[in-house]
Amino acid sequence: MTLLAIETSCDETSVAVIRDGAVLSGIVSSQIKLHAEYGGVVPELAAREHLRNLIPVAQSALSKAGISIGQLDAVAATQGPGLPNALLVGFKAAQAVAFVLNKPFIGVNHHEAHLYSPWISGEPPLADFSKFQPNVSLIVSGGHTMLVLVESELKHRVLGGTIDDAAGECFDKTGKLMGLPYPAGPLIDQLAEQGNPTAYDFPRPLLHDASDDFSFSGLKTSVRYFIRDHPALLDDRQKVCDLCASVQAAIVEVLVKKTIRAAKRNGVRCVTASGGVTCNRALRRELTRACEREGFALRLAEKSLCTDNAAMIGILAERKLLANVPLPSLDEDIKPGWVLA
Ligand code: KG4
Ligand code: ZN
């Protein structure tokens, strides 16, 4: 099956061509620079930029895959959750392509797609579901932090999520307090490599809470007060590195310990992780260590597949079509608030 997938839920315009579990091409055009000026994603600008970029990105995905549009057997797009006007661009374009080609169309939940991105690897990227096993999956991005029990392919249950800020948001907002540009996550990761993670002690919110929920707004507030009380610290590069390492250590400890605990409690032997924050080196290191210690298999999404991309949308869409899930009607609407259950 040859499938075209489109992802425009936030600030990445992405198109991929998938064939039989292989990612023939996956193009991502990021709008980060555009939004950096405003310190965060501006929804209306994101939608306009998707409108500008979608056709060129689709053309280059098709041409890289060596596929003409007439060779497609199916079309998929992110249906939600996401920014409404941004979602509309990719979703309606995908429906139009399916309508013109008279081929099946399927809308995909963005978070459900994240659950399967750790199973895509290699060069060229291939989804390896032969090794699939029940797992606890951590999805950790700028908008979401959640733990999901994936019992089998296409069967999952959300265990917990953030009750306020997402982990990526915590990286970005604490970075802003330090004067770092948006998105601060990757920069904090870099600076933290030269810092001491035990230099400053920040809270580990909900670490010992029985639930699988997360909360990061208290950590952000404590960083705010810390900087207010030690303003000179920001003029000392080493101290900024120590601050980055200490904040990162608090976020990573909560993510890793809660993920491992959920995996143990649910009796799975495999842990997976995806979403933009999964690019973080300390998180990758600490999850790897913890999984080795506890005897869990670990699958981390490759860095290019951690952030938003159409390849994961296409891989999940293909599995759904092969499993004969009921197809929605072609005039289905986007679901901006679609909550993964
Ligand atoms: O998945 P993503 O591209 O978009 C959504 O939010 O859906 O994730 C972006 C988030 C941002 O908050 C960014 O700061 C964070 O992922 N991020 C990182 C790193 N790379 C991206 N956070 C910490 N360390 C990183 N290396
Ligand atoms: Zn995402």
Side-chain angles (χ1 to χ4, degrees), residues 79-137:
Q79 189 167 10
L83 304 170
N85 289 347
L87 281 169
L88 268 176
V89 177
F91 191 73
K92 288 293 156 187
Q95 282 176 326
V97 174
F99 174 71
V100 170
L101 296 177
N102 195 23
K103 297 290 180 189
F105 169 78
I106 187 160
V108 166
N109 180 300
H110 179 91
H111 292 140
E112 188 179 1
H114 268 301
L115 296 177
Y116 297 94
S117 60
W119 301 91
I120 312 169
S121 62
E123 197 49 56
L126 193 67
D128 184 5
F129 287 104
S130 65
K131 297 206 175 85
F132 184 90
Q133 49 177 319
N135 60 81
V136 160
S137 189

Side-chain angles (χ1 to χ4, degrees), residues 12 141-143 168-169 171-172 183 185-186 189 275-277 279-280 306-308:
E12 262 100 24
S141 72
E169 204 175 347
F171 273 108
D172 296 339
D189 181 345
V277 178
C279 292
N280 183 272
C306 281
T307 45
D308 291 346

Side-chain angles (χ1 to χ4, degrees), residues 202-271:
F202 290 111
R204 271 69 171 153
L206 298 189
L207 181 60
H208 301 295
D209 186 77
S211 78
D212 292 316
D213 289 333
F214 297 93
S215 161
F216 289 104
S217 76
L219 172 57
K220 174 191 67 191
T221 306
S222 90
V223 174
R224 170 174 287 126
Y225 290 146
F226 181 79
I227 292 174
R228 183 198 63 189
D229 297 341
H230 306 85
L233 183 147
L234 296 183
D235 300 326
D236 182 328
R237 190 186 144 81
Q238 185 54 50
K239 288 189 174 146
V240 171
C241 291
D242 291 344
L243 180 57
C244 287
S246 302
V247 172
Q248 179 177 274
I251 298 173
V252 167
E253 184 179 343
V254 173
L255 293 175
V256 171
K257 288 202 171 146
K258 296 202 80 156
T259 303
I260 297 291
R261 205 177 61 192
K264 279 186 183 166
R265 183 169 10 86
N266 286 284
V268 298
R269 302 306 315 153
C270 179
V271 167

Side-chain angles (χ1 to χ4, degrees), residues 300-317:
L300 295 169
E302 290 192 357
K303 287 193 179 181
S304 62
L305 295 165
C306 281
T307 45
D308 291 346
N309 66 86
M312 66 179 188
I313 304 296
I315 289 292
L316 173 60

